[in-house]
Amino acid sequence: GFEGEEDDDKPITLIVDASGLTLSKKGDYIEDKWIREKKEFVKLHIAVDEKSKKVVSFRITKGNVHDTKKFGPLVKESAKRHDVDKVYGDKAYDNRKNFNILDDMNAEPAISIRKNASTRSKGCPLRRDEVFLVKKLGYEGWKQLKDTGRRWIAEIVFSSIKRALGEDLLSKKFSAQKVEAGLKVMLYNQFMNL
C-alpha cells in the first residue's frame, strides 16, 4: 500500500489554522471597483497531520466566520479517523470550549493562550493548568516546551495549496467556491501521496 499506511493507528498531532482565499476579480471593471472596498474572500479552515503534512479535515466558510467556530468540527472529525494526541493552534483558538473539547478527547493542548488569561478555572481545568504552565515557565519557555514553531507547518500547507493551485477562486457563487476550495485541498493531499 501507500507509504505511511501502516501508521494509521499511531496517534497524530494536529495543527489547526485558517487562511483566506481571495475571489478572482477578472472581468467586470465596474464591479471590480466596487468590490475592492468590500474585499470579499472565502476562508479555508484546516486540520493538518503534523507528520504527513496532509489535511485531515477542512471546512470552507465565508470570510467573516471566526476561526474558533470551526475548531470543534475540525478536531472532532479528525478524531473519528485518527487517534489525536496533541493539537496546535494560535491565539484565535484560545477559549474554554476548545480546551474542553481537547480534554474530552484526552488530547494535549498546544494552543497559544492570550496574554491576559486568568488562572480561575471557570469550568475548564485543562485551560487553567495551561495558564499556570505559561505563568510558571514564562511565555518563551512555554513556547519551547510546546514547540509552537510547529505551527508554521500550517503556513507551509496554505502556501503550497495557494502556490500550486492558485489563491483565487474563480466561481461566483459560494456553493461553487466551497467545491473549488475543497478540490484544491484534495489535490494538495494527492500531491502529498506521491
Side-chain angles (χ1 to χ4, degrees):
F2 283 121
E3 191 259 316
E5 243 183 61
E6 65 279 3
D7 289 352
D8 273 0
D9 50 349
K10 287 215 182 100
I12 65 166
T13 293
L14 279 185
I15 296 142
V16 176
D17 207 347
S19 181
L21 294 169
T22 46
L23 307 182
S24 169
K25 298 293 174 274
K26 291 181 187 72
D28 194 339
Y29 168 71
I30 296 171
E31 183 190 33
D32 191 41
K33 228 174 91 150
W34 288 109
I35 285 184
R36 212 172 305 139
E37 274 74 89
K38 282 214 306 265
K39 196 70 186 126
E40 284 184 61
F41 66 101
V42 168
K43 220 185 237 185
L44 173 58
H45 307 257
I46 59 172
V48 180
D49 170 1
E50 183 212 14
K51 224 162 91 190
S52 73
K53 315 285 187 284
K54 279 167 130 176
V55 178
V56 181
S57 174
F58 68 92
R59 291 287 186 279
I60 292 139
T61 65
K62 294 211 155 96
N64 58 358
V65 173
H66 198 287
D67 297 1
T68 195
K69 277 216 175 9
K70 294 297 154 196
F71 183 89
L74 289 171
V75 171
K76 284 175 185 162
E77 186 175 84
S78 304
K80 276 187 195 137
R81 291 195 296 265
H82 302 271
D83 174 13
V84 175
D85 70 350
K86 189 172 187 179
V87 181
Y88 284 87
D90 61 23
K91 286 187 186 68
Y93 301 104
D94 173 25
N95 65 30
R96 291 197 298 276
K97 193 177 160 200
N98 292 345
F99 273 88
N100 283 334
I101 288 167
L102 297 182
D103 206 3
D104 290 345
M105 285 170 43
N106 219 353
E108 182 194 339
I111 294 173
S112 300
I113 287 180
R114 288 189 229 101
K115 286 278 193 281
N116 57 357
S118 134
T119 43
R120 286 198 310 279
S121 134
K122 295 202 202 83
C124 187
L126 188 65
R127 184 168 182 277
R128 183 197 55 208
D129 295 348
E130 209 62 11
V131 174
F132 272 124
L133 200 58
V134 172
K135 288 216 187 330
K136 199 166 96 182
L137 301 171
Y139 203 67
E140 285 310 308
W142 177 85
K143 259 166 56 178
Q144 271 168 1
L145 176 76
K146 293 286 179 176
D147 184 15
T148 52
R150 290 195 215 189
R151 257 199 17 247
W152 58 262
I153 289 171
E155 297 307 314
I156 289 171
V157 172
F158 281 127
S159 67
S160 306
I161 289 172
K162 290 173 181 183
R163 232 191 5 258
L165 306 163
E167 187 163 352
D168 283 359
L169 297 176
L170 306 172
S171 315
K172 292 268 183 264
K173 286 203 176 90
F174 181 59
S175 55
Q177 289 159 359
K178 281 176 87 156
V179 172
E180 203 183 331
L183 285 170
K184 286 178 192 281
V185 174
M186 277 146 37
L187 277 167
Y188 164 80
N189 275 349
Q190 286 302 309
F191 285 138
M192 297 310 284
N193 265 339
L194 299 175

